[in-house]
Amino acid sequence: MARRSLLTALAGLAAVTLAATACAPQKKETGSGTAAPASCAKDQLRLVNKGRLTVATDKPAFEPWFKKNDPSNGEGFESAVAYAVAGKLGFAKNEVRWVTQPFDASYAPGPKNFDFDINQISVTPARQKAVTFSDGYYEVQQGAVTVNGSRYAGARSLAELKDARIAVQVGTTALQAVRDQIKPTRQPKVFNSQIDTVNALKNKQVDVLVLDLPSAFYVTAAQVDDSKIIGQFASGSAAEHFGLLLQKDNPLVGCLNKAIGELKSAGELTRIQDKWLGAAAGAPVLK
């Protein structure tokens, strides 16, 4: 379950008004398949505002996806990705305009007042019926969370978590990822809701909570005092992707896919991810 599903569950418990449906695992990182326009030259693009690239995200804009609640500063993973894509399309930083779009309204059908939305939005078949997605710019990783002082707080490999009492939420990508990647010696404890898994960690019913990395950042920042992310690891067969969201059948998606492909080939997306979502963000990679 991605972070946006978690925030929905917490809406009545915290002053955070973000919502989403559960994010189903996606094995392919494909967007809509819409072909690129005849030209991806900046002056040939069909844009909401001529000469400007209009990018949407929600408010507040959370870390580590954005920094200081300011998408326009280029800091944080998704802000950096947005400007990298913009650069590939020929836009300077001062030619990118940010607008606010609530998460749960972003994938509703109908006209959009932005060229694309970047907001930790998982590509799902249901959403693809109403909007168009680019190819994936981020494959969601899993995060292992514990409390400081735990015997697992200093773990540096997945093998060191094999004997832990692990909590996951039913119906999420985390359960399969634990089985595929950690291969624990005891069955994970499966809970009905994210809140239940958090409470199990707080009450020391479990040693480690495994959930998608976006949610792990939120848990350690806002839900469990004196907690930490042990590290992150791949989801394996339960892979899930974030895509840039556009109005249904917007031909701009072809140029966005071209830009994302070039950023991947050059290793730039990996460098951005390592900088903002890796060890520096408190989430080293566990192998």
Side-chain angles (χ1 to χ4, degrees):
M1 182 174 107
R3 164 177 168 270
R4 294 293 177 169
S5 299
L6 168 64
L7 292 177
T8 301
L10 295 174
L13 300 175
V16 179
T17 55
L18 297 172
T21 60
C23 297
Q26 301 296 304
K27 295 185 180 179
K28 297 172 66 179
E29 104 179 54
T30 54
S32 68
T34 303
S39 171
C40 288
K42 175 180 165 183
D43 61 356
Q44 298 297 309
L45 299 177
R46 190 183 75 184
L47 303 171
V48 170
N49 296 293
K50 188 175 181 180
R52 285 183 174 272
L53 188 67
T54 304
V55 183
T57 198
D58 208 343
K59 190 173 184 178
F62 288 99
E63 298 192 15
W65 313 98
F66 301 92
K67 289 287 186 179
K68 301 176 183 176
N69 193 25
D70 180 9
S72 68
N73 63 18
E75 299 181 353
F77 176 71
E78 290 191 320
S79 180
V81 168
Y83 281 112
V85 169
K88 286 294 183 183
L89 296 178
F91 292 91
K93 188 173 181 180
N94 63 3
E95 294 175 311
V96 177
R97 175 176 176 257
W98 289 86
V99 297
T100 299
Q101 176 67 35
F103 178 86
D104 56 345
S106 64
Y107 48 83
K112 307 299 182 187
N113 68 340
F114 52 79
D115 296 308
F116 69 80
D117 191 336
I118 184 166
N119 197 15
Q120 305 128 68
I121 308 171
S122 292
V123 179
T124 69
R127 291 171 181 169
Q128 286 178 305
K129 292 177 181 178
V131 295
T132 288
F133 282 99
S134 74
D135 291 340
Y137 62 88
Y138 174 66
E139 182 175 308
V140 178
Q141 303 289 293
Q142 297 299 314
V145 175
T146 192
V147 293
N148 286 313
S150 161
R151 62 178 288 195
Y152 298 100
R156 293 293 177 266
S157 69
L158 294 174
E160 293 176 77
L161 302 180
K162 291 178 74 72
D163 295 329
R165 296 173 299 165
I166 298 174
V168 297
Q169 183 184 348
V170 66
T172 65
T173 56
L175 178 56
Q176 191 60 46
V178 167
R179 289 172 174 163
D180 288 349
Q181 306 289 73
I182 298 178
K183 300 180 175 65
T185 56
R186 65 182 89 185
Q187 285 297 315
K189 292 179 179 288
V190 181
F191 293 86
N192 289 328
S193 73
Q194 190 74 61
I195 294 298
D196 289 340
T197 65
V198 168
N199 287 335
L201 182 63
K202 286 181 176 179
N203 296 331
K204 299 183 179 179
Q205 295 172 273
V206 297
D207 305 306
V208 174
L209 169 59
V210 173
L211 66 175
D212 61 88
L213 187 61
S215 298
F217 280 120
Y218 186 78
V219 167
T220 56
Q223 287 189 284
V224 182
D225 292 338
D226 202 29
S227 63
K228 62 171 290 186
I229 297 175
I230 302 167
Q232 61 177 293
F233 60 96
S235 297
S237 63
E240 169 188 341
H241 299 91
F242 292 163
L244 306 177
L245 181 152
L246 303 86
Q247 183 173 313
K248 185 68 174 174
D249 296 327
N250 185 341
L252 179 64
V253 72
C255 294
L256 295 181
N257 288 343
K258 181 173 181 289
I260 290 170
E262 291 173 354
L263 292 169
K264 285 180 179 178
S265 296
E268 183 61 20
L269 273 183
T270 297
R271 286 190 287 273
I272 293 172
Q273 183 173 327
D274 289 346
K275 178 176 181 178
W276 296 109
L277 301 180
V285 175
L286 300 175
K287 294 182 179 179

